[in-house]
Amino acid sequence: MSAPVVEALVTLGRRYVRGAPVPVGKALLAGRVLSPRLREHPRRRVTGTRFGVRVAVDTRDLIQRYLYLFGVWEPHMTRWLRRRLRPGDTYVDVGANIGYHTLLAAHLVGEGGHVVAIEASPALHRHLLRNVALNEFRNVRAVNRAVSDTDEILSFVLASSANTGANSIVPYVGPAEAAFDIAARPLPALLAEGEITRARVIKIDVEGAEGSVVRGMRPMLPRLRPDAEITVEVAPARMARLGDSAGELMETMRAHGFHAYRLVNAYTPESYAAALRGTARVPERLRGPVTGENDLVFSKIDADSLP
């Protein structure tokens, strides 16, 4: 089969996965055929999301491939943020990557709202700025810095451009595709007073460095609005390699009146096809220690699950 015919079939398959009203065969098609093909034969496009913004993508990368294929990244988190953020709110995105959650939040909070997007990687920061410009958002402040608990210079390593979300300061043994040094500051030092006191949701996704980020947030936690919620991707094994622990992070949040909830997440193409045809998963109360990598939501709401 000729390459143009294969490419045309991939385009038709993508349209079926994204838009067909019936779910028959979507998971198999996405997982066994389309995702591998788009990874090995990348497309560079500007694609639309399910909430109406545009994103420049290169399908070699996992996040960008899923955006091209499904029109969404982290569907359960996306649904939860769409329930949380309202016009006029402030959203803080720590570890913004190419800006998917930043764009979602900018769309939701509107012209009267405000988004702070913090990304350490200079390359991803530039990509984020391009995506913000593509959508002509004027409510986003983008910051090219790392976040820690002290002022310091941090060294990041990216193992593979097949997953740009894996930029990390966690020690890495093996061939690295890219590395860079960047200045880091505690989050309160990177935010204006109004950005702290008006933040409705703060998202932290920093690939194992969440211990130092949350430790550096301690002075600002009492200044947050009463309904502020904080989402943290917690990876205990990676945290331990930096001398941190999930237990310390959990105790910091408990001491400031936050309860922990777990939001189910998965990254297989099959799980995305299922999530997009199923009902939204909500954050469920975490009772017990953190085991394994988890997306946690910290809220002052005391319940079995978050609405």
Side-chain angles (χ1 to χ4, degrees), residues 196-233:
I196 293 172
T197 58
R198 291 196 291 268
R200 176 63 179 88
V201 176
I202 300 171
K203 188 217 80 176
I204 300 168
D205 185 351
V206 288
E207 301 299 317
E210 50 272 15
S212 61
V213 172
V214 170
R215 196 159 48 244
M217 288 175 61
R218 286 172 179 166
M220 66 180 267
L221 291 175
R223 295 150 57 195
L224 298 175
R225 53 191 270 186
D227 63 347
E229 292 172 310
I230 302 170
T231 78
V232 187
E233 182 185 273

PDB file of all heavy atoms in Angstrom, residues 196-233:
ATOM      1  N   ILE A 196      -1.877  35.085  44.190  1.00  0.00           N
ATOM      2  CA  ILE A 196      -1.950  34.142  45.309  1.00  0.00           C
ATOM      3  C   ILE A 196      -3.341  34.166  45.935  1.00  0.00           C
ATOM      4  O   ILE A 196      -3.990  33.137  46.103  1.00  0.00           O
ATOM      5  CB  ILE A 196      -0.884  34.471  46.371  1.00  0.00           C
ATOM      6  CG1 ILE A 196       0.517  34.233  45.812  1.00  0.00           C
ATOM      7  CG2 ILE A 196      -1.107  33.634  47.640  1.00  0.00           C
ATOM      8  CD1 ILE A 196       1.641  34.707  46.708  1.00  0.00           C
ATOM      9  N   THR A 197      -3.820  35.337  46.269  1.00  0.00           N
ATOM     10  CA  THR A 197      -5.066  35.439  47.036  1.00  0.00           C
ATOM     11  C   THR A 197      -6.305  35.144  46.202  1.00  0.00           C
ATOM     12  O   THR A 197      -7.360  34.820  46.754  1.00  0.00           O
ATOM     13  CB  THR A 197      -5.203  36.835  47.658  1.00  0.00           C
ATOM     14  OG1 THR A 197      -5.179  37.834  46.622  1.00  0.00           O
ATOM     15  CG2 THR A 197      -4.067  37.101  48.638  1.00  0.00           C
ATOM     16  N   ARG A 198      -6.185  35.225  44.867  1.00  0.00           N
ATOM     17  CA  ARG A 198      -7.355  34.973  44.013  1.00  0.00           C
ATOM     18  C   ARG A 198      -7.302  33.626  43.300  1.00  0.00           C
ATOM     19  O   ARG A 198      -8.220  33.293  42.537  1.00  0.00           O
ATOM     20  CB  ARG A 198      -7.509  36.097  42.991  1.00  0.00           C
ATOM     21  CG  ARG A 198      -7.918  37.430  43.594  1.00  0.00           C
ATOM     22  CD  ARG A 198      -8.439  38.400  42.539  1.00  0.00           C
ATOM     23  NE  ARG A 198      -7.393  38.843  41.645  1.00  0.00           N
ATOM     24  CZ  ARG A 198      -6.651  39.935  41.829  1.00  0.00           C
ATOM     25  NH1 ARG A 198      -6.833  40.681  42.915  1.00  0.00           N
ATOM     26  NH2 ARG A 198      -5.721  40.288  40.969  1.00  0.00           N
ATOM     27  N   ALA A 199      -6.248  32.839  43.527  1.00  0.00           N
ATOM     28  CA  ALA A 199      -6.121  31.561  42.819  1.00  0.00           C
ATOM     29  C   ALA A 199      -7.243  30.603  43.215  1.00  0.00           C
ATOM     30  O   ALA A 199      -7.427  30.291  44.391  1.00  0.00           O
ATOM     31  CB  ALA A 199      -4.772  30.927  43.121  1.00  0.00           C
ATOM     32  N   ARG A 200      -7.996  30.143  42.226  1.00  0.00           N
ATOM     33  CA  ARG A 200      -9.048  29.148  42.470  1.00  0.00           C
ATOM     34  C   ARG A 200      -8.474  27.740  42.417  1.00  0.00           C
ATOM     35  O   ARG A 200      -8.815  26.879  43.226  1.00  0.00           O
ATOM     36  CB  ARG A 200     -10.167  29.301  41.424  1.00  0.00           C
ATOM     37  CG  ARG A 200     -11.279  28.258  41.522  1.00  0.00           C
ATOM     38  CD  ARG A 200     -12.025  28.363  42.849  1.00  0.00           C
ATOM     39  NE  ARG A 200     -13.111  27.395  42.943  1.00  0.00           N
ATOM     40  CZ  ARG A 200     -12.997  26.160  43.403  1.00  0.00           C
ATOM     41  NH1 ARG A 200     -11.792  25.719  43.790  1.00  0.00           N
ATOM     42  NH2 ARG A 200     -14.046  25.365  43.479  1.00  0.00           N
ATOM     43  N   VAL A 201      -7.599  27.474  41.423  1.00  0.00           N
ATOM     44  CA  VAL A 201      -6.952  26.176  41.284  1.00  0.00           C
ATOM     45  C   VAL A 201      -5.471  26.405  40.988  1.00  0.00           C
ATOM     46  O   VAL A 201      -5.115  27.243  40.160  1.00  0.00           O
ATOM     47  CB  VAL A 201      -7.581  25.324  40.161  1.00  0.00           C
ATOM     48  CG1 VAL A 201      -6.810  24.022  39.983  1.00  0.00           C
ATOM     49  CG2 VAL A 201      -9.058  25.034  40.450  1.00  0.00           C
ATOM     50  N   ILE A 202      -4.624  25.638  41.690  1.00  0.00           N
ATOM     51  CA  ILE A 202      -3.193  25.603  41.407  1.00  0.00           C
ATOM     52  C   ILE A 202      -2.856  24.172  41.001  1.00  0.00           C
ATOM     53  O   ILE A 202      -3.145  23.231  41.743  1.00  0.00           O
ATOM     54  CB  ILE A 202      -2.359  26.008  42.636  1.00  0.00           C
ATOM     55  CG1 ILE A 202      -2.713  27.429  43.076  1.00  0.00           C
ATOM     56  CG2 ILE A 202      -0.862  25.891  42.329  1.00  0.00           C
ATOM     57  CD1 ILE A 202      -2.089  27.834  44.401  1.00  0.00           C
ATOM     58  N   LYS A 203      -2.279  24.008  39.817  1.00  0.00           N
ATOM     59  CA  LYS A 203      -1.910  22.677  39.332  1.00  0.00           C
ATOM     60  C   LYS A 203      -0.398  22.523  39.376  1.00  0.00           C
ATOM     61  O   LYS A 203       0.335  23.412  38.914  1.00  0.00           O
ATOM     62  CB  LYS A 203      -2.399  22.481  37.895  1.00  0.00           C
ATOM     63  CG  LYS A 203      -2.234  21.053  37.376  1.00  0.00           C
ATOM     64  CD  LYS A 203      -1.849  21.021  35.899  1.00  0.00           C
ATOM     65  CE  LYS A 203      -0.380  21.285  35.724  1.00  0.00           C
ATOM     66  NZ  LYS A 203       0.113  21.194  34.348  1.00  0.00           N
ATOM     67  N   ILE A 204       0.078  21.401  39.948  1.00  0.00           N
ATOM     68  CA  ILE A 204       1.515  21.146  40.069  1.00  0.00           C
ATOM     69  C   ILE A 204       1.822  19.804  39.414  1.00  0.00           C
ATOM     70  O   ILE A 204       1.337  18.764  39.848  1.00  0.00           O
ATOM     71  CB  ILE A 204       1.954  21.129  41.544  1.00  0.00           C
ATOM     72  CG1 ILE A 204       1.651  22.479  42.202  1.00  0.00           C
ATOM     73  CG2 ILE A 204       3.439  20.782  41.664  1.00  0.00           C
ATOM     74  CD1 ILE A 204       1.770  22.466  43.713  1.00  0.00           C
ATOM     75  N   ASP A 205       2.630  19.836  38.359  1.00  0.00           N
ATOM     76  CA  ASP A 205       3.034  18.621  37.645  1.00  0.00           C
ATOM     77  C   ASP A 205       4.503  18.789  37.289  1.00  0.00           C
ATOM     78  O   ASP A 205       4.845  19.351  36.242  1.00  0.00           O
ATOM     79  CB  ASP A 205       2.178  18.448  36.395  1.00  0.00           C
ATOM     80  CG  ASP A 205       2.461  17.132  35.669  1.00  0.00           C
ATOM     81  OD1 ASP A 205       3.435  16.445  36.043  1.00  0.00           O
ATOM     82  OD2 ASP A 205       1.719  16.800  34.725  1.00  0.00           O
ATOM     83  N   VAL A 206       5.381  18.317  38.190  1.00  0.00           N
ATOM     84  CA  VAL A 206       6.800  18.639  38.065  1.00  0.00           C
ATOM     85  C   VAL A 206       7.693  17.399  38.121  1.00  0.00           C
ATOM     86  O   VAL A 206       8.867  17.484  38.480  1.00  0.00           O
ATOM     87  CB  VAL A 206       7.214  19.664  39.144  1.00  0.00           C
ATOM     88  CG1 VAL A 206       6.624  21.040  38.815  1.00  0.00           C
ATOM     89  CG2 VAL A 206       6.786  19.218  40.537  1.00  0.00           C
ATOM     90  N   GLU A 207       7.146  16.246  37.792  1.00  0.00           N
ATOM     91  CA  GLU A 207       7.937  15.043  37.533  1.00  0.00           C
ATOM     92  C   GLU A 207       8.878  14.674  38.668  1.00  0.00           C
ATOM     93  O   GLU A 207      10.073  14.473  38.454  1.00  0.00           O
ATOM     94  CB  GLU A 207       8.723  15.215  36.221  1.00  0.00           C
ATOM     95  CG  GLU A 207       7.856  15.457  35.004  1.00  0.00           C
ATOM     96  CD  GLU A 207       6.895  14.303  34.721  1.00  0.00           C
ATOM     97  OE1 GLU A 207       7.330  13.141  34.812  1.00  0.00           O
ATOM     98  OE2 GLU A 207       5.722  14.583  34.426  1.00  0.00           O
ATOM     99  N   GLY A 208       8.356  14.586  39.881  1.00  0.00           N
ATOM    100  CA  GLY A 208       9.145  14.137  41.019  1.00  0.00           C
ATOM    101  C   GLY A 208       9.620  15.243  41.941  1.00  0.00           C
ATOM    102  O   GLY A 208      10.032  14.967  43.071  1.00  0.00           O
ATOM    103  N   ALA A 209       9.580  16.501  41.491  1.00  0.00           N
ATOM    104  CA  ALA A 209      10.052  17.629  42.300  1.00  0.00           C
ATOM    105  C   ALA A 209       8.942  18.252  43.129  1.00  0.00           C
ATOM    106  O   ALA A 209       9.120  19.338  43.693  1.00  0.00           O
ATOM    107  CB  ALA A 209      10.685  18.689  41.396  1.00  0.00           C
ATOM    108  N   GLU A 210       7.796  17.573  43.237  1.00  0.00           N
ATOM    109  CA  GLU A 210       6.651  18.161  43.931  1.00  0.00           C
ATOM    110  C   GLU A 210       6.897  18.387  45.424  1.00  0.00           C
ATOM    111  O   GLU A 210       6.265  19.265  46.038  1.00  0.00           O
ATOM    112  CB  GLU A 210       5.393  17.313  43.724  1.00  0.00           C
ATOM    113  CG  GLU A 210       5.539  15.841  43.995  1.00  0.00           C
ATOM    114  CD  GLU A 210       6.007  15.036  42.800  1.00  0.00           C
ATOM    115  OE1 GLU A 210       6.502  15.624  41.816  1.00  0.00           O
ATOM    116  OE2 GLU A 210       5.873  13.797  42.869  1.00  0.00           O
ATOM    117  N   GLY A 211       7.812  17.623  46.014  1.00  0.00           N
ATOM    118  CA  GLY A 211       8.113  17.824  47.428  1.00  0.00           C
ATOM    119  C   GLY A 211       8.646  19.223  47.694  1.00  0.00           C
ATOM    120  O   GLY A 211       8.162  19.924  48.590  1.00  0.00           O
ATOM    121  N   SER A 212       9.645  19.643  46.942  1.00  0.00           N
ATOM    122  CA  SER A 212      10.229  20.972  47.152  1.00  0.00           C
ATOM    123  C   SER A 212       9.261  22.079  46.743  1.00  0.00           C
ATOM    124  O   SER A 212       9.236  23.145  47.361  1.00  0.00           O
ATOM    125  CB  SER A 212      11.552  21.105  46.389  1.00  0.00           C
ATOM    126  OG  SER A 212      11.356  20.946  44.994  1.00  0.00           O
ATOM    127  N   VAL A 213       8.452  21.844  45.713  1.00  0.00           N
ATOM    128  CA  VAL A 213       7.481  22.864  45.293  1.00  0.00           C
ATOM    129  C   VAL A 213       6.476  23.128  46.406  1.00  0.00           C
ATOM    130  O   VAL A 213       6.204  24.276  46.764  1.00  0.00           O
ATOM    131  CB  VAL A 213       6.766  22.430  43.997  1.00  0.00           C
ATOM    132  CG1 VAL A 213       5.622  23.407  43.674  1.00  0.00           C
ATOM    133  CG2 VAL A 213       7.738  22.372  42.832  1.00  0.00           C
ATOM    134  N   VAL A 214       5.911  22.058  46.979  1.00  0.00           N
ATOM    135  CA  VAL A 214       4.921  22.224  48.044  1.00  0.00           C
ATOM    136  C   VAL A 214       5.571  22.788  49.308  1.00  0.00           C
ATOM    137  O   VAL A 214       4.997  23.635  49.994  1.00  0.00           O
ATOM    138  CB  VAL A 214       4.204  20.887  48.329  1.00  0.00           C
ATOM    139  CG1 VAL A 214       3.346  20.984  49.589  1.00  0.00           C
ATOM    140  CG2 VAL A 214       3.345  20.496  47.127  1.00  0.00           C
ATOM    141  N   ARG A 215       6.793  22.365  49.603  1.00  0.00           N
ATOM    142  CA  ARG A 215       7.501  22.909  50.768  1.00  0.00           C
ATOM    143  C   ARG A 215       7.680  24.420  50.617  1.00  0.00           C
ATOM    144  O   ARG A 215       7.494  25.176  51.575  1.00  0.00           O
ATOM    145  CB  ARG A 215       8.847  22.200  50.908  1.00  0.00           C
ATOM    146  CG  ARG A 215       9.516  22.377  52.234  1.00  0.00           C
ATOM    147  CD  ARG A 215      10.538  21.279  52.507  1.00  0.00           C
ATOM    148  NE  ARG A 215      11.432  21.050  51.392  1.00  0.00           N
ATOM    149  CZ  ARG A 215      11.492  19.911  50.688  1.00  0.00           C
ATOM    150  NH1 ARG A 215      10.691  18.908  50.974  1.00  0.00           N
ATOM    151  NH2 ARG A 215      12.338  19.775  49.682  1.00  0.00           N
ATOM    152  N   GLY A 216       8.013  24.857  49.409  1.00  0.00           N
ATOM    153  CA  GLY A 216       8.184  26.289  49.173  1.00  0.00           C
ATOM    154  C   GLY A 216       6.881  27.067  49.187  1.00  0.00           C
ATOM    155  O   GLY A 216       6.893  28.295  49.333  1.00  0.00           O
ATOM    156  N   MET A 217       5.750  26.351  49.063  1.00  0.00           N
ATOM    157  CA  MET A 217       4.436  27.002  49.069  1.00  0.00           C
ATOM    158  C   MET A 217       3.913  27.283  50.477  1.00  0.00           C
ATOM    159  O   MET A 217       2.918  27.996  50.626  1.00  0.00           O
ATOM    160  CB  MET A 217       3.403  26.123  48.344  1.00  0.00           C
ATOM    161  CG  MET A 217       3.564  26.052  46.852  1.00  0.00           C
ATOM    162  SD  MET A 217       2.388  24.864  46.132  1.00  0.00           S
ATOM    163  CE  MET A 217       0.806  25.575  46.591  1.00  0.00           C
ATOM    164  N   ARG A 218       4.540  26.723  51.497  1.00  0.00           N
ATOM    165  CA  ARG A 218       3.991  26.820  52.849  1.00  0.00           C
ATOM    166  C   ARG A 218       3.608  28.247  53.255  1.00  0.00           C
ATOM    167  O   ARG A 218       2.522  28.455  53.809  1.00  0.00           O
ATOM    168  CB  ARG A 218       4.978  26.226  53.857  1.00  0.00           C
ATOM    169  CG  ARG A 218       5.056  24.702  53.829  1.00  0.00           C
ATOM    170  CD  ARG A 218       6.186  24.207  54.707  1.00  0.00           C
ATOM    171  NE  ARG A 218       6.271  22.750  54.723  1.00  0.00           N
ATOM    172  CZ  ARG A 218       7.308  22.080  55.189  1.00  0.00           C
ATOM    173  NH1 ARG A 218       8.362  22.731  55.682  1.00  0.00           N
ATOM    174  NH2 ARG A 218       7.317  20.751  55.172  1.00  0.00           N
ATOM    175  N   PRO A 219       4.451  29.261  52.986  1.00  0.00           N
ATOM    176  CA  PRO A 219       4.077  30.611  53.434  1.00  0.00           C
ATOM    177  C   PRO A 219       2.813  31.157  52.762  1.00  0.00           C
ATOM    178  O   PRO A 219       2.150  32.034  53.332  1.00  0.00           O
ATOM    179  CB  PRO A 219       5.306  31.456  53.060  1.00  0.00           C
ATOM    180  CG  PRO A 219       6.420  30.485  52.946  1.00  0.00           C
ATOM    181  CD  PRO A 219       5.814  29.232  52.420  1.00  0.00           C
ATOM    182  N   MET A 220       2.486  30.661  51.568  1.00  0.00           N
ATOM    183  CA  MET A 220       1.331  31.208  50.857  1.00  0.00           C
ATOM    184  C   MET A 220       0.044  30.431  51.119  1.00  0.00           C
ATOM    185  O   MET A 220      -1.044  30.942  50.820  1.00  0.00           O
ATOM    186  CB  MET A 220       1.590  31.282  49.347  1.00  0.00           C
ATOM    187  CG  MET A 220       1.750  29.942  48.652  1.00  0.00           C
ATOM    188  SD  MET A 220       2.046  30.105  46.857  1.00  0.00           S
ATOM    189  CE  MET A 220       0.363  29.979  46.245  1.00  0.00           C
ATOM    190  N   LEU A 221       0.131  29.222  51.666  1.00  0.00           N
ATOM    191  CA  LEU A 221      -1.072  28.408  51.847  1.00  0.00           C
ATOM    192  C   LEU A 221      -2.129  29.092  52.723  1.00  0.00           C
ATOM    193  O   LEU A 221      -3.323  29.037  52.395  1.00  0.00           O
ATOM    194  CB  LEU A 221      -0.705  27.028  52.400  1.00  0.00           C
ATOM    195  CG  LEU A 221       0.064  26.116  51.428  1.00  0.00           C
ATOM    196  CD1 LEU A 221       0.472  24.819  52.124  1.00  0.00           C
ATOM    197  CD2 LEU A 221      -0.762  25.818  50.184  1.00  0.00           C
ATOM    198  N   PRO A 222      -1.759  29.773  53.825  1.00  0.00           N
ATOM    199  CA  PRO A 222      -2.795  30.451  54.619  1.00  0.00           C
ATOM    200  C   PRO A 222      -3.416  31.658  53.925  1.00  0.00           C
ATOM    201  O   PRO A 222      -4.459  32.146  54.367  1.00  0.00           O
ATOM    202  CB  PRO A 222      -2.036  30.889  55.890  1.00  0.00           C
ATOM    203  CG  PRO A 222      -0.792  30.069  55.922  1.00  0.00           C
ATOM    204  CD  PRO A 222      -0.445  29.819  54.488  1.00  0.00           C
ATOM    205  N   ARG A 223      -2.789  32.133  52.851  1.00  0.00           N
ATOM    206  CA  ARG A 223      -3.283  33.339  52.162  1.00  0.00           C
ATOM    207  C   ARG A 223      -4.208  33.008  50.996  1.00  0.00           C
ATOM    208  O   ARG A 223      -4.748  33.911  50.355  1.00  0.00           O
ATOM    209  CB  ARG A 223      -2.087  34.160  51.660  1.00  0.00           C
ATOM    210  CG  ARG A 223      -1.238  34.711  52.789  1.00  0.00           C
ATOM    211  CD  ARG A 223       0.225  34.860  52.419  1.00  0.00           C
ATOM    212  NE  ARG A 223       0.454  35.710  51.259  1.00  0.00           N
ATOM    213  CZ  ARG A 223       1.609  35.746  50.581  1.00  0.00           C
ATOM    214  NH1 ARG A 223       2.617  34.950  50.955  1.00  0.00           N
ATOM    215  NH2 ARG A 223       1.753  36.537  49.555  1.00  0.00           N
ATOM    216  N   LEU A 224      -4.391  31.735  50.699  1.00  0.00           N
ATOM    217  CA  LEU A 224      -5.258  31.347  49.595  1.00  0.00           C
ATOM    218  C   LEU A 224      -6.719  31.603  49.941  1.00  0.00           C
ATOM    219  O   LEU A 224      -7.109  31.613  51.110  1.00  0.00           O
ATOM    220  CB  LEU A 224      -5.061  29.872  49.255  1.00  0.00           C
ATOM    221  CG  LEU A 224      -3.668  29.447  48.780  1.00  0.00           C
ATOM    222  CD1 LEU A 224      -3.613  27.942  48.600  1.00  0.00           C
ATOM    223  CD2 LEU A 224      -3.287  30.161  47.489  1.00  0.00           C
ATOM    224  N   ARG A 225      -7.544  31.775  48.922  1.00  0.00           N
ATOM    225  CA  ARG A 225      -8.976  31.925  49.159  1.00  0.00           C
ATOM    226  C   ARG A 225      -9.537  30.630  49.754  1.00  0.00           C
ATOM    227  O   ARG A 225      -8.984  29.542  49.526  1.00  0.00           O
ATOM    228  CB  ARG A 225      -9.700  32.313  47.864  1.00  0.00           C
ATOM    229  CG  ARG A 225      -9.434  31.405  46.703  1.00  0.00           C
ATOM    230  CD  ARG A 225      -9.949  31.966  45.383  1.00  0.00           C
ATOM    231  NE  ARG A 225     -11.323  31.566  45.104  1.00  0.00           N
ATOM    232  CZ  ARG A 225     -11.963  31.824  43.966  1.00  0.00           C
ATOM    233  NH1 ARG A 225     -11.355  32.517  43.007  1.00  0.00           N
ATOM    234  NH2 ARG A 225     -13.205  31.437  43.774  1.00  0.00           N
ATOM    235  N   PRO A 226     -10.615  30.710  50.510  1.00  0.00           N
ATOM    236  CA  PRO A 226     -11.111  29.530  51.238  1.00  0.00           C
ATOM    237  C   PRO A 226     -11.447  28.340  50.345  1.00  0.00           C
ATOM    238  O   PRO A 226     -11.329  27.190  50.777  1.00  0.00           O
ATOM    239  CB  PRO A 226     -12.360  30.060  51.960  1.00  0.00           C
ATOM    240  CG  PRO A 226     -12.135  31.533  52.078  1.00  0.00           C
ATOM    241  CD  PRO A 226     -11.374  31.928  50.850  1.00  0.00           C
ATOM    242  N   ASP A 227     -11.882  28.600  49.102  1.00  0.00           N
ATOM    243  CA  ASP A 227     -12.269  27.498  48.222  1.00  0.00           C
ATOM    244  C   ASP A 227     -11.157  27.096  47.256  1.00  0.00           C
ATOM    245  O   ASP A 227     -11.392  26.325  46.320  1.00  0.00           O
ATOM    246  CB  ASP A 227     -13.532  27.854  47.441  1.00  0.00           C
ATOM    247  CG  ASP A 227     -13.338  29.055  46.516  1.00  0.00           C
ATOM    248  OD1 ASP A 227     -12.314  29.766  46.652  1.00  0.00           O
ATOM    249  OD2 ASP A 227     -14.217  29.301  45.667  1.00  0.00           O
ATOM    250  N   ALA A 228      -9.936  27.587  47.476  1.00  0.00           N
ATOM    251  CA  ALA A 228      -8.823  27.232  46.591  1.00  0.00           C
ATOM    252  C   ALA A 228      -8.554  25.737  46.676  1.00  0.00           C
ATOM    253  O   ALA A 228      -8.632  25.120  47.741  1.00  0.00           O
ATOM    254  CB  ALA A 228      -7.574  28.009  46.971  1.00  0.00           C
ATOM    255  N   GLU A 229      -8.234  25.140  45.529  1.00  0.00           N
ATOM    256  CA  GLU A 229      -7.892  23.721  45.459  1.00  0.00           C
ATOM    257  C   GLU A 229      -6.582  23.564  44.701  1.00  0.00           C
ATOM    258  O   GLU A 229      -6.264  24.359  43.816  1.00  0.00           O
ATOM    259  CB  GLU A 229      -9.026  22.929  44.801  1.00  0.00           C
ATOM    260  CG  GLU A 229     -10.277  22.904  45.685  1.00  0.00           C
ATOM    261  CD  GLU A 229     -11.497  22.316  45.017  1.00  0.00           C
ATOM    262  OE1 GLU A 229     -11.815  22.741  43.883  1.00  0.00           O
ATOM    263  OE2 GLU A 229     -12.128  21.439  45.612  1.00  0.00           O
ATOM    264  N   ILE A 230      -5.828  22.539  45.086  1.00  0.00           N
ATOM    265  CA  ILE A 230      -4.492  22.332  44.539  1.00  0.00           C
ATOM    266  C   ILE A 230      -4.399  20.914  44.007  1.00  0.00           C
ATOM    267  O   ILE A 230      -4.696  19.954  44.721  1.00  0.00           O
ATOM    268  CB  ILE A 230      -3.418  22.552  45.626  1.00  0.00           C
ATOM    269  CG1 ILE A 230      -3.538  23.975  46.199  1.00  0.00           C
ATOM    270  CG2 ILE A 230      -2.015  22.319  45.067  1.00  0.00           C
ATOM    271  CD1 ILE A 230      -2.701  24.209  47.435  1.00  0.00           C
ATOM    272  N   THR A 231      -4.026  20.759  42.751  1.00  0.00           N
ATOM    273  CA  THR A 231      -3.831  19.438  42.174  1.00  0.00           C
ATOM    274  C   THR A 231      -2.333  19.174  42.062  1.00  0.00           C
ATOM    275  O   THR A 231      -1.573  20.049  41.628  1.00  0.00           O
ATOM    276  CB  THR A 231      -4.493  19.293  40.788  1.00  0.00           C
ATOM    277  OG1 THR A 231      -3.687  19.935  39.797  1.00  0.00           O
ATOM    278  CG2 THR A 231      -5.884  19.910  40.779  1.00  0.00           C
ATOM    279  N   VAL A 232      -1.930  17.977  42.474  1.00  0.00           N
ATOM    280  CA  VAL A 232      -0.512  17.615  42.462  1.00  0.00           C
ATOM    281  C   VAL A 232      -0.360  16.208  41.903  1.00  0.00           C
ATOM    282  O   VAL A 232      -1.002  15.269  42.391  1.00  0.00           O
ATOM    283  CB  VAL A 232       0.101  17.650  43.881  1.00  0.00           C
ATOM    284  CG1 VAL A 232       1.613  17.433  43.802  1.00  0.00           C
ATOM    285  CG2 VAL A 232      -0.209  18.959  44.597  1.00  0.00           C
ATOM    286  N   GLU A 233       0.471  16.060  40.885  1.00  0.00           N
ATOM    287  CA  GLU A 233       0.858  14.718  40.460  1.00  0.00           C
ATOM    288  C   GLU A 233       1.969  14.259  41.396  1.00  0.00           C
ATOM    289  O   GLU A 233       3.053  14.847  41.425  1.00  0.00           O
ATOM    290  CB  GLU A 233       1.351  14.713  39.017  1.00  0.00           C
ATOM    291  CG  GLU A 233       1.715  13.325  38.521  1.00  0.00           C
ATOM    292  CD  GLU A 233       2.307  13.322  37.133  1.00  0.00           C
ATOM    293  OE1 GLU A 233       1.537  13.259  36.157  1.00  0.00           O
ATOM    294  OE2 GLU A 233       3.556  13.392  37.025  1.00  0.00           O
TER     295      GLU A 233
END
